């Protein structure tokens, strides 16, 4: 198995692999802890992380902020002290700063942020020994974020995640681009982003490790990412159909039974396109959207008065196994998954020498 020790701020991972944060409830302590135990970075998604707690429906945000430190601690325990534990916090989260500070106070090793521009992440993480990283999809977004952090906070990213158009969930590309995903020269985009981060490596005299995400399914994908100049990869969908994944068995089997033609681009209430498994829920939303009957007040970009559905409730339904009423986010190549495996098996397959 490929061993490549990578320093991220003041800590190390022993293998060049980050497990992508998947919400709601897909990547919590069991999955994140198992990946870290193998020497990588296990990542919890903070999106409605307390969805199954008794008081969640009455006090969702307070419950999430109470559950987050517990999940971080449990993931650390399951890791056996190996690897790193990170959290993925969407920049469009209503209480973004509170989530960042809560994770920092709980001793998380890294914070990864996408779904928007995390311009104020350095402010909220200031004073803590935590590595911070934006998820970027284009050279332009990398330039904007790194320039802003440089000018406003006199610092740069501790690592970068470059997420390509084959990724799952919310995507940083237009629907038109995603309709022609195979025609996108994303290798060129990755190299341009690497060129941007090199400017700040030189200025701050630091190494900024880069992890390529989106469509990472095989050892060949890993080798290709490394050949472009990346330090490692981030994989998400491959970890869903594992024994350790925190999702229901029904959710996992939705991945196993999905074929290539079952993967679709959908419209999210937050105004971004997303990739998901076609099911009765998507068909119903497309033909007769039901609107939002109750609001968790979770995302800045969501207007419950005009939203076609509540994305939080749809994702909660899915993770609990109510698939006919649920949104099943997934990566483009989910159709290649055909069995339940273990985290160790996935890691060994991806990093086979």
């Amino acid at each position: 198995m490929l061993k490549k020790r990578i320093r991220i701020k003041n800590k190390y991972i022993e293998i060049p692999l980050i497990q992508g944060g998947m919400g709601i409830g897909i990547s919590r302590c069991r999955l994140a802890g198992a990946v870290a135990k193998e020497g990588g970075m296990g990542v919890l998604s903070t999106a409605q992380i307390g969805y199954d707690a008794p008081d969640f429906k009455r006090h969702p945000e307070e419950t999430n902020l109470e559950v987050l430190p517990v999940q971080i601690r449990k993931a650390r325990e399951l890791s056996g002290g190996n690897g790193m534990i990170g959290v993925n916090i969407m920049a469009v989260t209503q209480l973004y700063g509170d989530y960042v500070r809560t994770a920092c106070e709980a001793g998380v090793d890294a914070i990864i942020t996408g779904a928007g521009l995390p311009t104020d992440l350095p402010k909220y993480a200031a004073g803590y020994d935590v590595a911070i990283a934006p998820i970027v999809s284009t050279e332009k977004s990398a330039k904007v974020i790194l320039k802003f952090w440089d000018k406003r906070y006199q610092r740069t990213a501790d690592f970068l995640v470059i997420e390509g158009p084959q990724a799952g969930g919310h995507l940083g590309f237009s629907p038109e681009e995603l309709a022609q995903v195979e025609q996108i020269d994303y290798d060129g985009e990755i190299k341009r982003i690497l060129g941007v981060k090199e400017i700040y490596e030189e200025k701050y005299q630091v190494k900024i490790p880069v992890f390529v995400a989106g469509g990472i399914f095989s050892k060949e994908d890993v080798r290709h990412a490394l050949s472009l100049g990346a330090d490692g990869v981030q994989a998400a969908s491959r970890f869903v159909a594992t024994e350790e994944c925190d999702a229901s068995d029904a959710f996992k089997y939705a991945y196993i039974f999905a074929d290539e033609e079952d993967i679709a681009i959908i419209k999210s209430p937050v105004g971004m396109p997303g990739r998901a498994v076609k099911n009765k829920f998507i068909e119903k939303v497309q033909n007769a959207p039901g609107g939002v009957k109750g609001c968790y007040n979770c995302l800045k970009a969501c207007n419950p008065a005009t939203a076609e559905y509540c994305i939080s409730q749809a994702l909660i339904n899915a993770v609990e196994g109510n698939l006919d009423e649920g949104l099943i986010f997934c990566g483009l190549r989910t159709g290649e998954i055909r069995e339940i495996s273990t985290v160790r098996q996935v890691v060994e397959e991806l990093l086979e020498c």
Side-chain angles (χ1 to χ4, degrees), residues 165 172-184 265 273 275:
F173 299 86
S174 70
E176 293 74 24
E177 289 173 317
L178 295 171
Q180 306 177 67
V181 66
E182 300 299 335
Q183 298 179 31
I184 297 176
I265 299 298
R275 182 171 281 117

Side-chain angles (χ1 to χ4, degrees), residues 18-305:
I18 295 174
Q19 161 250 315
M22 296 169 284
I24 291 169
I26 309 302
S27 55
R28 293 205 293 179
C29 63
R30 290 184 66 241
L31 179 56
V35 174
K37 186 176 181 179
E38 297 300 322
M41 183 188 294
V43 178
L44 305 113
S45 167
T46 65
Q48 309 294 31
I49 194 168
Y51 77 93
D52 56 352
D55 213 28
F56 173 74
K57 288 192 175 180
R58 287 194 301 158
H59 305 290
E61 294 301 341
E62 294 90 339
T63 301
N64 288 332
L65 291 169
E66 290 174 1
V67 169
L68 178 55
V70 176
Q71 285 283 315
I72 292 171
R73 186 185 71 248
K74 287 182 178 179
R76 182 88 64 199
E77 292 171 354
L78 291 168
S79 76
N82 297 328
M84 294 175 66
I85 301 296
V87 294
N88 180 295
I89 309 175
M90 294 186 294
V92 294
T93 301
Q94 285 280 15
L95 301 180
Y96 179 71
D98 293 322
Y99 279 92
V100 172
R101 283 188 286 259
T102 299
C104 290
E105 289 170 6
V108 79
D109 296 318
I111 294 173
I112 301 170
T113 292
L117 298 177
T119 52
D120 291 330
L121 176 54
K123 176 177 72 174
Y124 298 129
Y128 295 97
D129 184 22
V130 59
I132 60 174
I135 296 175
V136 297
S137 294
T138 63
E139 176 189 18
K140 180 179 179 181
S141 62
K143 282 182 175 179
V144 169
I145 295 169
L146 296 183
K147 182 177 181 180
F148 190 93
W149 287 9
D150 174 40
K151 296 293 185 183
R152 176 67 65 88
Y153 300 108
Q154 295 76 54
R155 67 156 299 167
T156 193
D158 295 302
F159 63 107
L160 288 179
V161 176
I162 302 176
E163 188 172 89
Q166 294 188 24
H170 289 118
L171 301 163
F173 299 86
S174 70
E176 293 74 24
E177 289 173 317
L178 295 171
Q180 306 177 67
V181 66
E182 300 299 335
Q183 298 179 31
I184 297 176
D185 173 24
Y186 205 65
D187 285 0
E189 195 71 34
I190 290 171
K191 291 177 181 178
R192 289 188 288 273
I193 294 171
L194 291 174
V196 173
K197 69 100 179 181
E198 288 170 1
I199 297 170
Y200 296 93
E201 285 182 322
E202 183 176 352
K203 177 170 184 176
Y204 287 94
Q205 290 298 291
V206 294
K207 167 67 176 173
I208 304 175
V210 170
F211 297 82
V212 168
I216 302 298
F217 261 71
S218 68
K219 62 183 180 181
E220 288 78 18
D221 299 323
V222 175
R223 289 173 180 170
H224 181 67
L226 298 181
S227 74
L228 295 174
D231 299 276
V233 297
Q234 175 180 285
S237 296
R238 276 299 311 265
F239 287 108
V240 171
T242 61
E243 295 175 3
E244 297 91 342
C245 178
D246 296 270
S248 67
D249 285 345
F251 190 98
K252 298 175 187 181
Y253 278 101
Y255 270 47
I256 290 173
F257 294 142
D259 292 319
E260 182 180 350
E261 59 269 22
D262 297 321
I263 312 303
I265 299 298
I266 58 99
K267 179 183 178 182
S268 166
V270 304
M272 300 173 70
R275 182 171 281 117
V277 176
K278 295 178 187 176
N279 64 352
K280 290 182 180 179
F281 172 76
I282 290 179
E283 182 179 344
K284 181 174 70 173
V285 168
Q286 290 174 338
N287 295 329
V292 176
K293 298 178 177 63
C295 181
Y296 293 101
N297 193 37
C298 54
L299 302 175
K300 299 173 186 175
C302 183
N303 182 354

